[in-house]
Amino acid sequence: MPGKRHDIGLSQLLVAVGKGDREALHRVYLQTGGKLLALAMHVTGNRSGAEDVLQEVFIKVWNRAPGFDPARAEGMAWLTAITRNTAIDWYRARQRRTLQSDDGAIFLVPDDAELIEDRMIREDLEAKAVELLGNLPAVQENEIRQAFFEGLSYAQLAESMGLPLSTVKSRIRRTLQLLRGRMDHD
């Protein structure tokens, strides 16, 4: 599978980073920085915050790479998890507001606890989406998994499949519309 070849190289780079190879860290940044920045922007909602998050992510990558095990996680999945968690932490830290009162500052921390009803609905929808994804033809399922779970860009997916970029975008759009229709129908 061509997408796996990309990740094997990334995983090897992360192992090298774990051994203190600064050039490998630079190559990891060049290979993944754009995707990770986009993910951070999605969570933070602004470019400046996303850039701060990305800087923190690569500091964490440098510090945590000695513990990276390619047998336990794919390189892009590992990087995506670090980025997502760091961006969520950044976002939550900015959600704290300070109110001034006669007694001084009162810190309001939003309650991140999800209501039980909301959690049950979300978990039901997630299970249904995974089930529907598994019912797709193998080619469509693979395209969605590579694009949304493995973090491949449409261009990388098109290259690995030997198809024009516009074809890949159209196929993924149609598959997502199909999934959405099935989710709405049931």
Side-chain angles (χ1 to χ4, degrees), residues 113-158:
E114 188 175 20
L115 294 175
I116 188 72
E117 296 87 5
D118 292 342
R119 188 180 87 224
M120 289 172 62
I121 291 168
R122 180 184 50 78
E123 288 174 353
D124 187 46
L125 288 172
E126 287 173 358
K128 183 167 183 65
V130 168
E131 178 186 338
L132 289 173
L133 184 61
N135 291 334
L136 290 173
V139 172
Q140 289 177 308
E141 179 182 358
N142 187 43
E143 289 171 354
I144 297 298
R145 286 191 184 280
Q146 286 184 332
F148 294 97
F149 297 111
E150 295 176 21
L152 289 182
S153 68
Y154 289 160
Q156 290 170 324
L157 193 55

Side-chain angles (χ1 to χ4, degrees), residues 20-88:
D21 186 339
R22 291 176 187 260
E23 178 58 30
L25 180 67
H26 180 71
R27 289 179 56 200
V28 168
Y29 175 79
L30 292 176
Q31 222 174 9
T32 64
K35 283 185 247 175
L36 299 178
L37 180 64
L39 172 60
M41 283 180 60
H42 178 73
V43 175
T44 63
N46 73 64
R47 173 116 187 158
S48 177
E51 289 171 351
D52 291 345
V53 165
L54 191 63
Q55 181 177 356
E56 190 173 336
V57 164
F58 276 93
I59 291 170
K60 288 180 179 181
V61 168
W62 179 256
N63 291 327
R64 294 180 185 173
F68 171 73
D69 180 1
R72 290 184 54 216
E74 293 180 355
M76 194 62 195
W78 188 72
L79 292 168
T80 300
I82 292 172
T83 303
R84 181 182 173 280
N85 292 338
T86 303
I88 289 170

